[in-house]
Amino acid sequence: HQISQLNVDYLHDLNFKGEGLQIAILDAGFLGVEKFPAFSSIWNENRILGTKDFVEGNIDVYKEHHHGMSVLSCLAANETGQLIGTAPNASYWLLRTEDTNSEYIIEEDNWIVAAEFADSAGVDIINTSLGYNTFDDPDMDHTYAEMDGSTTRITRGANIAASRGILVVASAGNEGRNNNQWRYIVAPADGDDVLAIGAVNINGLPAPFTSLGPASDGDIKPNVAAMGWNIIMQRANGTIGTGNGTSFSAPLIAGAAACLWQTRRDATAKDIKQAIERSAHLHDSPDSLAGYGIPDFKLALEILNASGQTVADKKSIWEIHPNPFNDFIELQKHIGINQGKIQLAFFSLDGKLIRFEEKQDAAKIRITNLQNLPTGILLLQIRTENSVEVAKIVRLNGAETNTF
């Protein structure tokens, strides 16, 4: 029901389940991911791309807190008859930034470094089911005035990540109860370029705990909402059961966004964010609890397809075919200007240079003998005197062949 409420099952039925998209989860720990059956498919298919601890540097993220595990289950779980995540075929980075033993502003710095790492790894979407407003040292506390979309350090970092083409999805917060002194959204959900997610129940009613908007500068927050009240997820005790929190509504949207993005890989993160907002049921009359409301991802797909070709909007110079590829690719120029020498650099996702060569500029450039490149997702940097473009490319295994 938490998937059907968003109409994500429509995308799943079309076989868009997040394949080829990378999602980084910035959280407190992932205890249980290594053993629970709900995660067997991502292990069997090598879709956990890596882990990293930004709190202590050498901690096994599977031995720490279970919160990130439950968050991951809303995205990646695939246990027949019990639970399916919104992006069961996506690939994941599991990054620990939160220290559950204390609350100090250094955790915002941990988050920023992790987001920078995610960018270097080629991540498409960041999900952060974390939020900051008060700390163990009151001198570090934020004010509501600082929830203006661009002031706190974590919010500034989230906006920078979005400027690099990453869709940043954040929990709005669980501060909304009447007896809370602070009832508003928490950083980085206030970010100008962040997609902040509130929580509703199965009937679409706002959860009593979901943090209130707007941002202090008047921006609509949360942006949209999804189930976070009695949501089904993998629990720390090994059972599939219910839980509460915007921590779990955010990954529902992050995974759904991956499925939507899979339908149009030429779209930008901003395109995806806007299509999600425009598809939501309160778009014409947003409020402070659910923002633009509950998205409809079938409608979001229609909006995205009606928005035109974003490749032209981005003024991309080069188009790459075939992609995926095996032993060759061709670069087709969109813009008819001579740029002299073209430098082509192939990188792994961890930033290692794999191959470099120069070509003379032409309308079509063919690059051959690529069979020795590693399989999987790579980055191709195309550099000229006047421009630099970076594209994700996928090399097939040796049993597969190039097709156009």
Side-chain angles (χ1 to χ4, degrees), residues 36 45 49 137-138:
F36 292 142
E45 296 166 14
L49 300 178
D137 180 352

Side-chain angles (χ1 to χ4, degrees), residues 146-160:
E146 291 178 305
M147 300 295 116
D148 61 356
S150 59
T151 293
T152 70
R153 59 182 70 174
I154 190 172
T155 297
R156 300 200 320 265
N159 287 337
I160 292 171

Side-chain angles (χ1 to χ4, degrees), residues 86-87 106 130 167 189 196 202 224 269 403:
T86 46
I106 192 174
L130 303 169
L167 179 65
I202 190 172
V224 294
T403 57

Side-chain angles (χ1 to χ4, degrees), residues 294-310:
I294 301 168
D296 178 336
F297 278 83
K298 179 181 179 182
L299 178 57
L301 177 59
E302 295 169 356
I303 291 169
L304 191 63
N305 286 335
S307 65
Q309 293 295 319
T310 57

Side-chain angles (χ1 to χ4, degrees), residues 169-184:
V169 182
S171 297
N174 302 326
E175 317 298 325
R177 293 189 184 276
N178 291 333
N179 59 352
N180 272 7
Q181 187 172 0
W182 178 293
R183 301 188 63 203
Y184 293 102

